[in-house]
Amino acid sequence: MVYRNILVESLLLLSVLVQIISGSKLLSAKRKIAITTFQKLQLWTGLYLAFFLLIHVSAVLVSRFVLELDTNFYFGAAGINIFPFNLFFVPYYSLAIFSFFGHLAAIHQQKTKQSILGLSSTQQAKLILSVGILSILLIFHGLTNGFTGVDIPKAYQVLVGK
């Protein structure tokens, strides 16, 4: 109920737009000076996040306002649980989650100069990436009912052309 408030939703959409625009400017400014693996990771994950946000937010808005679907659990699970659409949606969502954690890890590695619990900033960044990979597995486990599949209601099967 909170995020469906017109003011909150407008602010969320504006923040996505600001992220995409500011990220695009940073990408063009930093792409030629990225040397380290984590600097390159930051650029590539940022680029994918911009792509993902553009496509994902558009899909959510079309689903809500054109198809009149509630963008709930079944909205996210529809493409993942129906073959052959899962061949697209599994990598699409996996890369989005990995990009989120990869972007955080890259920025953390570049900005953190101190050791925490005996871990260097690079080790901390690798730990963040590991949490991201674990998150991918847990999210997909939840979205697929333990990889046995979820019964998608008929209304949501329109998302995959059924």
Side-chain angles (χ1 to χ4, degrees):
M1 291 304 234
V2 174
Y3 72 90
R4 291 273 173 97
N5 174 296
I6 190 75
L7 179 63
V8 174
E9 194 168 60
S10 298
L11 289 172
L12 284 171
L13 291 172
L14 180 63
S15 69
V16 168
L17 185 62
V18 167
Q19 287 286 8
I20 292 171
I21 292 169
S22 64
S24 299
K25 288 181 180 180
L26 283 171
L27 175 68
S28 64
K30 291 187 173 188
R31 67 186 164 95
K32 292 183 180 176
I33 59 172
I35 298 168
T36 69
T37 301
F38 279 103
Q39 289 171 336
K40 291 176 185 176
L41 180 66
Q42 182 183 4
L43 294 179
W44 284 106
T45 56
L47 184 63
Y48 188 80
L49 285 171
F51 163 78
F52 175 81
L53 286 171
L54 209 69
I55 301 301
H56 188 71
V57 169
S58 299
V60 167
L61 293 175
V62 166
S63 294
R64 281 190 41 218
F65 296 116
V66 176
L67 300 176
E68 297 179 356
L69 287 174
D70 185 10
T71 50
N72 57 19
F73 171 83
Y74 293 111
F75 174 77
I80 293 171
N81 285 280
I82 299 173
F83 182 82
F85 300 97
N86 54 1
L87 297 175
F88 169 79
F89 284 107
V90 169
Y92 170 74
Y93 284 122
S94 295
L95 281 171
I97 298 164
F98 179 81
S99 291
F100 173 78
F101 281 94
H103 208 64
L104 284 178
I107 294 167
H108 178 82
Q109 192 275 336
Q110 293 172 48
K111 301 289 183 185
T112 305
K113 302 299 178 207
Q114 65 187 32
S115 173
I116 299 175
L117 299 173
L119 298 175
S120 69
S121 62
T122 299
Q123 291 169 319
Q124 293 169 42
K126 288 178 181 177
L127 182 61
I128 292 169
L129 283 173
S130 299
V131 169
I133 292 168
L134 180 61
S135 296
I136 292 168
L137 296 173
L138 290 173
I139 289 168
F140 276 94
H141 184 75
L143 285 172
T144 60
N145 195 24
F147 300 109
T148 60
V150 171
D151 289 327
I152 305 299
K154 188 78 173 153
Y156 290 88
Q157 292 183 14
V158 70
L159 295 169
V160 290
K162 289 190 173 189

